[in-house]
């Protein structure tokens, strides 16, 4: 395998594809990845999720739970191209892993269940890819399942994702009888015989001739509406040639105007080769994406994907183990070699590259260098964190780091024995180093160590990792959600004068603040964020002092008057102020801003906000009544219910705090036949009666 990976270390950038596999839980991402590795010769045995033998789900917890938890990078070769692939998690609790992966990818394959279509987390990861401008192709998986329907799945892609699906295949057979596809570009059949890993090419079956030509026509019309060259040819000839159609599909995919849709059954190894061909044909190489943009001292710069350019690489993942740190990089420009010294711009320190490895999940093949367009791991840097920029010391540049979501659930963590007490803090620090969405802090009132994350499962996995990796006996308190406070009715003209004289230079600052709520969201929840503006006229408060007042106001947002929770959803206006010719300073105005806003919040009408999630529950028809009643008891608002082959799919918005322990409750109400998934939707106002109970705790 080392030879296979190293052989293309110097392949041209046009032959490189950096892509991710995105989908909802259980749509088949990991199975698709395993089949790709098997077909490309990177593995010699097909791994199975249910057997715990997959390459990318190598962590013991992933194999025990049967889900992807950590984004895993692999490399393989196909048709003269090198494919760097990241298998991402599908559970909402690990969306931050997806975010960091998408930040460094050039393209993606979105996998959908042929029965369920677009599911909640499918939509979430699709929106994440939209934000990063990552081109995608779609693979409708599990075509061999009972109830599988390509047209229904495609309709859900069109309706729920708001994109134009460009279906390039027609399935041959339905459900258990699914044996292959008709390639609508080249009008040929691709059929997989039982027990065979490769397809047999042939003519379109007679029974599907009419339907295949109809769908080819629909494909040509859809592409002509999006691509001017295809439109010109369609108007002139009333048809689009295959070369023009293929070129147009690539351009439409890269622009994000449409998404190519293929289908198959990864478990039965049907449809993976055409998927790989589509990856090579339609998804961009590092040369096809815009140059990476960075900044230095407020000045924006661009770096093209050129191995000869100054080095610019982004750290997107860190694996901190007891034996050392492995730092995962996307090299955007330049070349990095073993033994090089690089600059971590954010930390303002240099690091030495000890080794460079091409990653195969938990296995590695050492290489001598990595060039622009590569995704590799390096060993040597001791302090680089996820989001850090590593660059040439002579040409510093800061790349935009991946965003990190605010944690919403917290638990108290403690070591049960004195022997483990000293080891707990370093273990938690290592966890937070690997996963920036985990936050460790000490509660100032109780002295407890608090671990915060994105959900119950997220925290459960983190604690279990400490137990397994460090052999510690760790106790965990009940989960708690992170509340916010917001302004319902503000105050105007609040005057605060900060005067301090204790010998020498004094402090003087006079400010007048108006505080008002930001606009509420469509569902009635408070708006998130903080806005500040100055309405001072006549230069009564210099601009540098205005900035100090804003900084002081931001300081005051850390603790609200209701329960000490962070404050959000308000606009502050500096209406007036005054200065002293000697005693005024930025520090004085920052202090005045902090205390003035605290007073204003105590005078305003405040409300408590709680995190809410969209819950999608799939249950048998005979259990619908009990499940609806239980959701109502948890303050859930039902937003939809659809019937599907003896089951009901219920969608509701429920406060996150009410979902603790819901999995076991749902199992008991449905005799183990019910399942549910969640998707974070933001914050909403807590009812007054419930708010009183929360604040009284």
């Amino acid at each position: 395998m080392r030879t296979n990976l190293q052989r293309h270390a110097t392949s041209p950038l046009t032959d490189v594809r950096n892509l991710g596999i995105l989908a909802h839980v259980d749509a088949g991402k990991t199975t698709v990845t395993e089949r790709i590795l098997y077909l490309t010769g990177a593995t010699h045995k097909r791994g199975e999720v249910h057997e715990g033998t997959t390459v990318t789900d190598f962590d013991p917890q992933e194999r025990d739970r049967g889900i992807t938890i950590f984004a895993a990078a692999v490399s393989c070769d196909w048709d003269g191209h090198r494919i760097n692939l990241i298998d991402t998690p599908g559970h909402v609790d690990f969306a931050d892993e997806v975010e960091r992966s998408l930040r460094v990818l050039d393209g993606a394959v979105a996998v959908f269940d042929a029965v369920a279509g677009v599911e909640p987390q499918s939509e979430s990861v699709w929106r994440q890819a939209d934000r990063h401008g990552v081109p995608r192709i779609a693979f409708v998986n599990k075509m061999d399942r009972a109830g599988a329907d390509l047209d229904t799945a495609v309709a859900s892609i069109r309706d729920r994702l708001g994109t134009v699906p460009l279906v390039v295949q027609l399935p041959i057979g339905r459900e258990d009888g699914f044996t292959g596809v008709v390639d609508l570009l080249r009008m040929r059949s691709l059929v997989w015989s039982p027990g065979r890993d490769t397809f047999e090419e042939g003519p379109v079956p007679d029974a599907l001739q009419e339907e295949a030509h109809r769908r080819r026509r629909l494909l040509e019309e859809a592409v002509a509406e999006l691509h001017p060259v295809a439109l010109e040819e369609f108007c002139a000839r009333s048809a689009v040639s295959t070369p023009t159609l293929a070129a147009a599909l690539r351009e439409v995919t890269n622009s994000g105007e449409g998404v190519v849709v293929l289908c198959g059954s990864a478990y039965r190894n049907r449809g993976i080769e055409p998927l790989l061909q589509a990856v090579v044909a339609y998804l961009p190489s590092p040369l096809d994406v815009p140059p990476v943009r960075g900044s230095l001292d407020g000045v924006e710069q661009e770096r093209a994907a050129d191995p000869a350019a100054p080095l610019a690489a982004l750290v997107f993942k860190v694996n901190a183990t007891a034996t050392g740190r492995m730092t995962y990089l996307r090299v955007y420009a330049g070349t990095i070699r073993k033994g090089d010294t690089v600059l971590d711009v954010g930390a303002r320190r240099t690091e030495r590259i000890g080794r460079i490895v091409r990653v195969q999940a938990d296995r590695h093949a050492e290489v001598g260098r990595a060039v622009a367009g590569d995704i590799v791991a390096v060993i040597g840097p001791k302090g680089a964190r996820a989001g850090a920029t590593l660059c040439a010391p002579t040409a510093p540049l800061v790349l935009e780091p991946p965003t990190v979501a605010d944690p919403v659930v917290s638990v108290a963590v403690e070591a049960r024995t004195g022997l483990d007490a000293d080891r707990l803090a370093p273990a938690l620090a290592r966890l937070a180093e690997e996963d920036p969405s985990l936050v460790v802090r000490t509660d100032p009132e109780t002295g407890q160590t608090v671990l915060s994350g994105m959900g119950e499962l997220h925290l459960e996995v983190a604690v279990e990792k400490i137990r397994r990796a460090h052999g510690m006996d760790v106790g965990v308190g009940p989960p708690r959600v992170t509340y916010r406070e917001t302004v319902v009715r503000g105050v105007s003209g609040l005057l605060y004068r900060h005067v301090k004289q204790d010998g020498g230079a004094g402090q003087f600052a006079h400010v007048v603040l108006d505080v008002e709520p930001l606009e509420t969201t469509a569902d009635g929840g408070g708006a998130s964020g903080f806005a500040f503006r100055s309405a001072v006229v006549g230069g009564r408060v210099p601009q540098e002092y205005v900035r100090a007042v804003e900084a002081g106001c931001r300081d005051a947002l850390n603790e609200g008057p209701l329960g000490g929770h962070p404050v959000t959803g308000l606009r502050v206006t500096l209406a007036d102020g005054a200065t002293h010719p000697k005693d005024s300073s930025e520090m004085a105005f920052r202090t005045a801003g902090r205390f003035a806003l605290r007073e204003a919040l105590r005078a305003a009408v405040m409300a408590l906000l709680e995190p809410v999630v969209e819950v999608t529950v799939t249950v048998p028809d005979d259990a619908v009544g009990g499940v609806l009643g239980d959701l109502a008891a948890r303050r859930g608002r039902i937003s939809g219910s659809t019937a599907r082959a003896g089951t009901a799919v219920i969608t509701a918005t429920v406060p996150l705090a009410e979902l603790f322990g819901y999995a076991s409750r749902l199992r008991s109400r449905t005799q183990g036949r019910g399942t549910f998934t969640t998707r974070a939707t933001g914050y909403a106002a807590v009812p007054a009666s419930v708010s009183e109970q929360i604040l009284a705790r």
Side-chain angles (χ1 to χ4, degrees), residues 217 220 230-244:
R217 179 73 175 184
E220 292 176 357
L231 177 61
E232 183 178 340
E233 187 172 311
F234 186 81
C235 292
R237 301 176 51 231
S238 191
V240 181
S241 65
T242 296
T244 300

Side-chain angles (χ1 to χ4, degrees), residues 313-324:
L314 183 70
V315 177
F316 68 95
K317 183 178 176 68
V318 173
N319 188 9
T321 67
T323 57

Side-chain angles (χ1 to χ4, degrees), residues 94-142:
F94 308 106
D96 206 61
E97 286 273 331
V98 182
E99 184 73 18
R100 293 197 298 274
S101 299
L102 283 170
R103 175 63 181 82
V104 299
L105 293 173
D106 298 327
V109 175
V111 181
F112 300 96
D113 188 311
V115 178
V118 176
E119 298 174 272
Q121 191 61 11
S122 306
E123 186 172 353
S124 294
V125 296
W126 188 273
R127 302 303 177 206
Q128 286 178 281
D130 279 342
R131 290 197 301 273
H132 289 279
V134 175
R136 281 139 281 169
I137 59 178
F139 181 70
V140 179
N141 191 27
K142 303 187 179 182

